[in-house]
Amino acid sequence: MRFAVLGVAVVAAGAFLGPAAFSGEPPAKFPAAEIHKPSPIPDRVVLTPTTTPATSQNVTWRAVADSGFAQAEILVAPRAFGDVKPPAGAVQNVSASSSTPVNTDLGYPSTYHTVGFSGLTPATRYSYRVGDGVNWSEWHDFTTAAASFQPFSFIYYGDAQNYIDSSVPRVFRQAFAERPQAKAFVHAGDLVNLAESEEEWGQWFQAAGWTDAQINNIATPGNHEYAGGSLSEFWRPQFPFPDNGPGDELLKQTVYYLDYQGVRFISLNSNAQGVPDLMAKQTAWLEGVLKNNPNKWTVVTFHHPVYSNTGTRNNPQVRAQWGSLIEKYGVDLVLQGHDHSYGRGNVKTARKSATVHNGTVYVVSVSGGKMYQLNGGVNWTDNGAEVTSDSENTQLYQLIDVDKDFIRYESRYATGEHHDGFVIRKNKKGERTVNDLRTPENSVGEQVTATPTTVPRKGDLEIAGYRFEPNEKVTISWRRSTLPADKDGEVYDKVRADELGRVLDTFELWSGVRAGTYQIVLRSETQRITTPTITVTDR
């Protein structure tokens, strides 16, 4: 009876909250001009890298402030602010090097200010704030790059572009939650849908929030960063990327490179693929940047894919001019967008086994809510490549961990679930294997090559097995094909995989091997893989 009384009370209370209680006009949408209107308080604070990231750092922000007053303060990060004041002389004040107003479509200018911090100490955490001397941002922290190689992580996003205010923030937040110590965000173009939309740029900065102020952004422009054939007026004021490209004003701060702790990052502008002169300049520049590269790892990003995922899209000039150089100089990762879907693959000739190849990895991804349907990989297969993983109607982010001898890559859905992944291993000779992340299903089966597959008794046989752990112990066994599938047969040898996880062996069949059909089994703690059937003949 008590529950019935409570139920009546709830209904009665609800009567006071019904429509009759709200007799005024329904709420109106709050104007974008009010949401995104600048003030003297800094917003859109973003780090962009320099060509000397161990000793310098650029920071850009938006605020209503005269150019003579825009400034930043920086110091080695203290253990506390507030009641704890920095020691005398610890805080350095730096004036803005540029202040650029952008006339927006919301009826007001947005002015972007940039400060370049220099003379910094490598691998050191700094605190900084930006403002006009009275109106300041909160204190943000960043860490300079190490002076030489050190392991680090970065996050790669495909197109945000649409539903930036509603669907993109959860992707950015989930990615950051999983790699909070990431050193860079790599954006493969189409950050927004309308190049000159103040509202959309405001939404893009809001989506990442304060993370942009402590992690460097590396971005390449997509076709939606262009309007009427011209680069967005927002691009260069917001993103003062290195000016070390081919030297053409139209490509300035869209084509650039920087070296970060053993990785060369390269941005190309694929929007120029229909302009022969601009493509030729980029291609010549790219070859020089790839040829004279002291780094072990190379990552290239541009918007339009070498191999397209969707519809009848095709980028033949990108493929012909850049694809050939990418393969020639052994680029490790090519990170792209544009197709609003996911695709990962490589050239077919690089395939070594069902789970391993030794070529460049090409990836297309999407972080925003606009989706296209896959086309079955026809643009890949028609041009000598293969798709090893794809997805449609999914928002994704990519976590990339760089170490001395390997790069680990994983693509995850907005929910944090695993979608795709691989490990690139490279030795001092520049030899490389790209290994799909191991699962119980792909760690067994016919994955060892044997040459030839028909061999006379006492003949020579060459085998190649892949995707072992470096230096892992591997047992090589020789089994008759009539044995049960789970039996390894007679042990022939015990070896160790090399630094790339390969077992490459050539041996002469011993006298005890009779004519018949066999398989060679390679077993380790991580996998059990076999050759196809080998036929041994009397001669």
Side-chain angles (χ1 to χ4, degrees), residues 308-310 374-383 385-387 390:
S308 295
N309 279 350
T310 57
L374 295 169
N375 62 8
V378 294
N379 192 249
W380 295 75
T381 56
D382 287 352
N383 292 287
E386 59 184 6
V387 182
D390 58 27

Side-chain angles (χ1 to χ4, degrees), residues 129-180:
R129 64 179 182 173
V130 297
D132 59 12
V134 176
N135 302 289
W136 292 102
S137 69
E138 68 270 42
W139 288 100
H140 298 287
D141 284 14
F142 70 86
T143 301
T144 51
S148 58
F149 177 84
Q150 288 294 325
F152 72 98
S153 300
F154 67 95
I155 299 169
Y156 147 55
Y157 298 115
D159 306 34
Q161 187 179 341
N162 304 89
Y163 309 99
I164 306 170
D165 58 336
S166 59
S167 70
V168 174
R170 67 193 287 257
V171 179
F172 287 0
R173 291 168 189 164
Q174 183 67 32
F176 177 79
E178 294 178 15
R179 289 297 184 278

Side-chain angles (χ1 to χ4, degrees), residues 232-393:
S232 169
E233 294 291 328
F234 289 85
W235 186 266
R236 294 186 180 105
Q238 291 176 159
F239 306 126
F241 293 124
D243 186 10
N244 59 3
D248 192 295
E249 189 67 22
L250 294 174
L251 301 174
K252 181 180 179 180
Q253 292 172 314
T254 67
V255 181
Y256 59 92
Y257 77 93
L258 62 107
D259 297 337
Y260 191 97
Q261 292 183 190
V263 178
R264 174 155 289 184
F265 289 95
I266 301 171
S267 169
L268 296 170
N269 191 336
S270 59
N271 298 284
Q273 62 182 303
V275 185
D277 178 57
L278 294 182
M279 281 298 287
K281 289 178 179 179
Q282 288 189 82
T283 301
W285 175 87
L286 175 63
E287 180 153 31
V289 170
L290 292 176
K291 186 176 183 180
N292 301 303
N293 181 3
N295 301 277
K296 183 169 187 175
W297 304 106
T298 306
V299 176
V300 176
T301 185
F302 47 85
H303 186 60
H304 299 80
V306 175
Y307 306 104
S308 295
N309 279 350
T310 57
T312 58
R313 289 183 165 186
N314 189 22
N315 303 296
Q317 291 303 317
V318 170
R319 189 164 51 251
Q321 296 195 49
W322 299 347
S324 58
L325 292 179
I326 285 166
E327 294 293 334
K328 176 180 178 180
Y329 291 102
V331 170
D332 299 293
L333 289 171
V334 178
L335 307 179
Q336 307 152 110
H338 192 54
D339 285 352
H340 295 267
S341 56
Y342 183 88
R344 189 258 293 186
N346 51 272
V347 297
K348 291 179 183 177
T349 54
R351 177 62 51 191
K352 293 299 178 182
S353 76
T355 57
V356 177
H357 68 86
N358 66 355
T360 297
V361 182
Y362 300 87
V363 186
V364 178
S365 191
V366 58
S367 61
K370 179 182 179 181
M371 303 296 171
Y372 293 158
Q373 300 303 301
L374 295 169
N375 62 8
V378 294
N379 192 249
W380 295 75
T381 56
D382 287 352
N383 292 287
E386 59 184 6
V387 182
T388 52
S389 177
D390 58 27
S391 182
E392 60 188 8
N393 298 324

Side-chain angles (χ1 to χ4, degrees), residues 185-199:
F185 300 128
V186 175
H187 296 273
D190 281 5
L191 286 64
V192 296
N193 187 50
L194 299 174
E196 307 299 356
S197 171
E198 164 76 352
E199 180 180 16

Side-chain angles (χ1 to χ4, degrees), residues 45-51 53 56-60 114-117 128 183 204-205 212-219 235-242 253 256 258:
V45 184
V46 58
L47 296 180
T48 52
T50 70
T51 56
S56 63
Q57 177 67 63
N58 284 337
V59 58
T60 297
T114 296
V115 158
F117 298 124
Y128 75 96
K183 299 302 183 184
W204 186 84
F205 278 103
D212 281 340
Q214 70 180 44
I215 297 176
N216 271 300
N217 276 262
I218 299 170
W235 186 266
R236 294 186 180 105
Q238 291 176 159
F239 306 126
F241 293 124
Q253 292 172 314
Y256 59 92
L258 62 107

Side-chain angles (χ1 to χ4, degrees), residues 2-62:
R2 182 182 179 188
F3 291 105
V5 171
L6 289 173
V8 170
V10 171
V11 172
F16 292 103
L17 300 174
F22 301 100
S23 57
E25 292 295 321
K29 186 174 176 61
F30 195 62
E34 293 299 320
I35 296 172
H36 301 288
K37 187 176 181 179
S39 78
I41 304 300
D43 63 7
R44 305 185 187 180
V45 184
V46 58
L47 296 180
T48 52
T50 70
T51 56
T52 54
T55 58
S56 63
Q57 177 67 63
N58 284 337
V59 58
T60 297
W61 71 98
R62 186 187 74 149

